[in-house]
Amino acid sequence: MEAFNIEKEIRDLGSFPDEKYLNIIREVGFVCDRCGKCCTSEFNDHIFLLDDDAQRIIEDTGREYLRPAPYFDLCDNLGRFYVMGYALKTKPNGDCIFYTGSSCEHYEIRPRICKIYPYMLHREPDEDGNIDFRQIGGLDEHGSYHNEIDEETCTEILKTVKEYEFGFLRQQLKFNEYIEKYFKENNLRISQQMYDRMMRLHKKGKAIEVYVFYKGRFEKEVITPAQIS
Ligand code: SF4
C-alpha cells in the first residue's frame, strides 16, 4: 500500500469516534473463556508481531520462536524477499507455537494481537466510499458473547485496540519508506516475476533470503521450506 494511503488510514483511525467503537465493544460483550480456539489454525493463519512484541519475545525466549511473517511483501530483481515484520512460528498442524493444546505457554508475554482478539478492526469503505471500521474475528464462534462489560474494561479494550492498529499502520508506513530508500540506494527494483519464480523454486526446496523489517532496519533470514512453520 502506498505511503499516502497508509497516512490517510492513520488519520481516519485517529478521527474514528471512540464512542462509536465503545458501542461495538459493549454490544459484542466478549469475554475470553480461554478455549484456545483463536490459537489454532482453524481461527488464525499466523500471529503477526509488532516490533515491541518481537522484542518482548526475544528478550524472554530468544529468537527460536520467530519467523519472517508469511506472505512476503515484495521481491527484488536479485530474488531477495522483503517483509514488514516477524510472526510467531506455527506447529506442523498450523497451531501457534506457544499453544499447548489447552493454553498459551507464554501468556504473560503474548503478542498484542492476542490481547485484542476478537476486537481487531477491519477497515472498509461504507456506501459513500468513506473508510469505516468494524470489529471482526470469529464472531460467536469462541469465548462468550453478549456479556455486560464494565466501562473501565471497555475503555481499556479500546485503548489497546487503537494502540495495536496504530502500531501496525506505523510499522507498515516505516517499512514502505525504508524500502523506497533502500531500493534507491542499492539500485534495486521490485520484481513480481522474480517473486513468482523464487517462490516456485522455494516450494521445490530452495533456500531463500528474506529481509525482515525490525526496529527500522532489515535483518536477513535464510529459510528453507522446512523452516517455514
Ligand atoms: S501467543 Fe499465546 S495467546 Fe497468542 S495465539 Fe499463541 S498461544 Fe494463543
Side-chain angles (χ1 to χ4, degrees):
M1 195 190 295
E2 285 172 20
F4 171 76
N5 291 336
I6 302 173
E7 281 163 3
K8 182 173 181 322
E9 280 212 26
I10 292 173
R11 282 198 304 277
D12 287 344
L13 182 63
S15 59
F16 189 74
D18 284 357
E19 195 48 39
K20 200 169 164 185
Y21 195 65
L22 282 168
N23 278 337
I24 299 176
I25 296 169
R26 290 184 197 111
E27 198 181 303
V28 172
F30 176 80
V31 173
C32 172
D33 62 4
R34 304 265 186 117
C35 69
K37 282 187 187 169
C38 56
C39 312
T40 67
S41 56
E42 187 194 344
F43 274 69
N44 281 310
D45 178 72
H46 68 279
I47 300 292
F48 182 78
L49 303 173
L50 296 178
D51 275 0
D52 61 344
D53 291 321
Q55 183 181 341
R56 208 168 49 251
I57 290 166
I58 289 169
E59 283 169 2
D60 202 78
T61 65
R63 285 177 170 263
E64 64 171 313
Y65 299 119
L66 266 52
R67 60 179 279 195
Y71 318 121
F72 310 134
D73 292 280
L74 50 100
C75 183
D76 67 24
N77 50 306
L78 302 177
R80 301 175 302 198
F81 291 90
Y82 299 82
V83 68
M84 69 171 265
Y86 283 104
L88 276 179
K89 282 185 180 173
T90 51
K91 294 181 175 177
N93 67 356
D95 293 353
C96 174
I97 195 76
F98 286 169
Y99 184 52
T100 63
S102 58
S103 62
C104 177
E105 207 178 343
H106 296 280
Y107 192 74
E108 292 312 315
I109 55 158
R110 71 197 186 286
R112 275 168 197 262
I113 188 77
C114 305
K115 291 182 187 163
I116 68 167
Y117 194 85
Y119 288 112
M120 63 274 278
L121 296 171
H122 183 64
R123 292 171 286 275
E124 60 178 37
D126 64 15
E127 290 153 6
D128 301 321
N130 300 312
I131 293 290
D132 203 359
F133 296 86
R134 66 181 179 84
Q135 176 270 338
I136 51 157
L139 198 59
D140 278 337
E141 291 170 3
H142 65 124
S144 160
Y145 284 80
H146 311 301
N147 299 282
E148 190 101 6
I149 312 279
D150 65 65
E151 283 308 296
E152 199 182 321
T153 309
C154 288
T155 308
E156 192 53 40
I157 292 169
L158 173 69
K159 185 172 158 265
T160 317
V161 170
K162 281 195 154 184
E163 275 171 6
Y164 175 80
E165 300 293 350
F166 276 124
F168 184 89
L169 288 170
R170 285 187 188 124
Q171 195 158 318
Q172 195 174 25
L173 184 62
K174 280 190 202 155
F175 168 71
N176 284 9
E177 289 169 350
Y178 194 72
I179 277 282
E180 206 180 315
K181 188 169 149 264
Y182 186 85
F183 271 45
K184 209 173 271 174
E185 281 173 4
N186 293 284
N187 209 14
L188 295 167
R189 57 187 167 74
I190 297 171
S191 171
Q192 186 59 43
Q193 201 180 12
M194 189 59 97
Y195 191 114
D196 298 338
R197 180 165 166 249
M198 292 305 288
M199 269 301 163
R200 277 197 301 275
L201 292 172
H202 185 49
K203 280 184 188 136
K204 288 183 186 163
K206 185 177 170 56
I208 50 168
E209 285 181 14
V210 184
Y211 287 73
V212 183
F213 190 62
Y214 177 60
K215 295 193 162 203
R217 64 185 179 84
F218 287 130
E219 294 189 341
K220 181 174 137 183
E221 303 271 342
V222 177
I223 57 171
T224 62
Q227 286 173 297
I228 200 75
S229 56

